[in-house]
Amino acid sequence: MRAARLGIFLLRRIVKTPPTKQAVSTWPAAALVVSNMIGTGVFMSLGWQVAGFTRPDGTSLLTGSVFPIIMLWIVGGVLALCGALCYAELATALPRSGGEYNFLSRIYHPMVGFCTGLCSASIGFAAPIAASTLVFGDYFCRAFPSFAHIVPNNTVHALAFVLATVVTLCHLRSLRFTGLFQTITTATTVLLIVTFVIFGFSNTPAQSITFAPHAADWNLPVLGSFGASLIWVMYSYSGWNAASYIVEEVRNPAKALPRALILGTVFVMALYVAVNGVFLYTTPLGQLAGQPEVAHLAGRSIFGPLGARISSGLICVGLIANVSAMMWVGSRVSEAIGATYPVLGLLGRTSKTRVPYVSLIYQYAVIFVLLFFDPKNIVNYVESVLIFWSLLAVVGVIVLRVREPNLPRPYRTWGYPVTPIIFAIISIFCLVQSYQQHRMETLIGAATVLIGIPIYLWASRNVPVEQLRGETLPESSM
């Protein structure tokens, strides 16, 4: 009993929040978008992209120009930007936290929203967080080899556990502290990446490549290798929709949210092109092909013998911001579900000024369990499902325009209807490629969605349809 009381006392001391829930301004929201995207993908996927443009006999499809690879990152950035423009309209027209859970419940049917919310609340965020914490542990040991044997055979897992614990405690503290923590870690990550890029282009001999396109390069996008490589790029860009999950925590969301989504996405697009440009500029293609440790190789080329350790430290800082951003977003989906469905109301419990401490603790527990498995396999089979949910949400912009033309829209998607159509076409292309490359994982991911149907039928009993659709709040939330 004394231990339980002590735990409750400490939790109450940690969970301190400012007097208003809307404590997040434009820049912390933009930092959330940036840090949600900058994770392991950008530092590891280039090697697989280069390998994808290699013929079976070992020769490269790239004719001295790396423009097709840069074009991959531009295409991925355009897709993310199209999605951000569409989500800005949805989030300001349907201003509730939860992202796709909120959008799809209102646009299509509450069961559709519940299935996507359940996917996000279970492993949609927890699996990538677990993967990022484990990668953090691995790179921390490489940056600081003296720590590698502190816990025999389990140092990586111990460091992953420590990171997940510390970040969770930071988020339990307060919304304002969460925003400050997110902004500082993201700003540090960006500063280090920009420094990495400047040193790479200014102090390293260039490889015998060109960034200008050759005539044959325009034929490569129709090849399967381009589509397969685009999957890696889209994984790196995932997170562009992060700010839409915390709409109710943003001050003046009608103006701040579109700015955060659009500015964050454009900034990361430019950063990704620059980072991959410096990787290609400093390191031979033959060394990059098939290698996941691209940042190590480029770091050695740029900074010398200590380059690998420097690049490992850079990745560690980026992963702290990435883990924090996903924890922030993922817990808000669970909170939104708990606020809507009374039988799951425990997930919606918050502190006096609405910090969702139960959802944060639940998410932390799921992450802890996943640390004992290989979360990368889980990410493989949920990735196509997450792309599908985003596709439905963006198409929902068109659906709402037709069905509810008089719905107040503080922000209207720039370039409509071309913008959502572009997103839909590229997303469908990615889904087809994902099915061809990872057929079993895609089918398993689709099957997991169906698990949400019986749970929804049980949880939605005696709940008003207006509440399920997000048009009204339960009395306890008012």
Side-chain angles (χ1 to χ4, degrees):
M1 288 296 294
R2 290 182 179 178
R5 291 176 181 174
L6 177 60
I8 294 172
F9 171 77
L10 292 175
L11 184 59
R12 288 175 176 173
R13 294 292 298 174
I14 292 170
V15 182
K16 293 180 179 179
T17 54
T20 175
K21 186 182 182 183
Q22 292 182 315
V24 180
S25 61
T26 299
W27 293 113
L32 178 67
V33 174
V34 171
S35 53
N36 236 284
M37 285 193 273
I38 300 178
T40 57
V42 67
F43 298 114
M44 301 176 66
S45 62
L46 180 62
W48 304 114
Q49 294 165 20
V50 173
F53 286 104
T54 303
R55 297 186 181 92
D57 61 2
T59 59
S60 178
L61 292 168
L62 302 173
T63 58
S65 170
V66 294
F67 175 77
I69 294 179
I70 297 299
M71 185 165 61
L72 275 171
W73 292 94
I74 294 175
V75 170
V78 169
L79 178 64
L81 180 59
C82 289
L85 291 167
C86 294
Y87 269 56
E89 175 172 326
L90 291 175
T92 53
L94 308 173
R96 289 189 63 189
S97 296
E100 293 89 359
Y101 164 71
N102 172 41
F103 303 152
L104 302 186
S105 295
R106 174 71 181 275
I107 297 171
Y108 300 107
H109 190 279
M111 184 170 65
V112 180
F114 183 85
C115 288
T116 182
L118 188 64
C119 179
S120 297
S122 55
I123 58 175
F125 285 98
I129 292 172
S132 291
T133 57
L134 288 170
V135 172
F136 169 86
D138 183 43
Y139 276 101
F140 191 90
C141 290
R142 298 186 186 196
F144 306 98
S146 59
F147 284 84
H149 303 292
I150 290 180
V151 181
N153 301 321
N154 276 306
T155 301
V156 170
H157 284 78
L159 290 170
F161 174 75
V162 169
L163 177 61
T165 302
V166 171
V167 175
T168 298
L169 292 176
C170 289
H171 281 261
L172 285 168
R173 181 69 180 178
S174 73
L175 290 178
R176 201 176 298 278
F177 184 82
T178 296
L180 179 63
F181 180 80
Q182 197 64 56
T183 301
I184 292 175
T185 54
T186 303
T188 304
T189 300
V190 170
L191 179 63
L192 290 174
I193 291 177
V194 170
T195 302
F196 188 90
V197 170
I198 292 174
F199 268 86
F201 279 121
S202 61
N203 295 332
T204 309
Q207 299 299 311
S208 56
I209 59 171
T210 178
F211 292 99
H214 292 171
D217 293 339
W218 297 105
N219 297 323
L220 292 180
V222 301
L223 299 179
S225 57
F226 188 91
S229 297
L230 187 60
I231 298 295
W232 287 102
V233 172
M234 293 318 303
Y235 172 73
S236 301
Y237 273 107
S238 60
W240 51 264
N241 54 355
S244 67
Y245 289 85
I246 61 164
V247 178
E248 296 173 68
E249 299 172 14
V250 178
R251 291 198 299 266
N252 192 11
K255 292 183 178 180
L257 201 69
R259 292 173 185 168
L261 288 167
I262 296 169
L263 291 176
T265 302
V266 171
F267 180 78
V268 171
M269 178 181 174
L271 202 64
Y272 277 5
V273 171
V275 168
N276 284 277
V278 80
F279 287 164
L280 294 166
Y281 181 85
T282 60
T283 312
L285 292 178
Q287 293 184 22
L288 293 174
Q291 297 298 319
E293 299 174 354
V294 174
H296 276 284
L297 298 173
R300 186 178 297 114
S301 300
I302 296 171
F303 298 107
L306 294 179
R309 293 179 61 180
I310 294 174
S311 61
S312 294
L314 165 65
I315 294 174
C316 285
V317 175
L319 288 174
I320 293 173
N322 181 247
V323 167
S324 173
M326 288 191 289
M327 279 191 176
W328 190 355
V329 170
S331 63
R332 270 48 178 184
V333 180
S334 303
E335 178 195 9
I337 293 175
T340 303
Y341 297 86
V343 296
L344 301 175
L346 183 63
L347 292 174
R349 288 191 180 183
T350 60
S351 62
K352 292 181 180 179
T353 46
R354 303 292 298 276
V355 168
Y357 63 93
V358 174
S359 291
L360 282 165
I361 295 171
Y362 157 75
Q363 181 175 249
Y364 175 74
V366 176
I367 294 168
F368 177 78
V369 173
L370 289 175
L371 289 178
F372 293 93
F373 297 90
D374 184 359
K376 294 181 181 178
N377 293 333
I378 302 175
V379 172
N380 283 336
Y381 84 78
V382 301
E383 182 178 356
S384 59
V385 178
L386 298 179
I387 293 175
F388 177 70
W389 294 133
S390 297
L391 172 62
L392 283 184
V394 169
V395 172
V397 174
I398 301 175
V399 174
L400 273 185
R401 288 281 188 104
V402 174
R403 194 177 65 200
E404 300 184 42
N406 297 323
L407 180 70
R409 293 175 171 85
Y411 174 85
R412 299 177 76 89
T413 301
W414 181 87
Y416 177 89
V418 176
T419 306
I421 290 174
I422 290 175
F423 185 93
I425 291 173
I426 300 180
S427 294
I428 292 172
F429 175 75
C430 288
L431 286 172
V432 172
Q433 291 294 323
S434 179
Y435 177 75
Q436 293 177 346
Q437 299 291 326
H438 308 287
R439 182 168 300 184
M440 182 58 65
E441 290 88 342
T442 303
L443 292 175
I444 294 174
T448 58
V449 175
L450 301 178
I451 298 175
I453 296 177
I455 300 177
Y456 165 79
L457 295 175
W458 166 72
S460 62
R461 293 177 302 172
N462 302 321
V463 181
V465 66
E466 293 82 8
Q467 182 173 316
L468 295 175
R469 284 167 49 86
E471 297 174 351
T472 62
L473 290 172
E475 292 183 1
S476 59
S477 299
M478 293 182 179

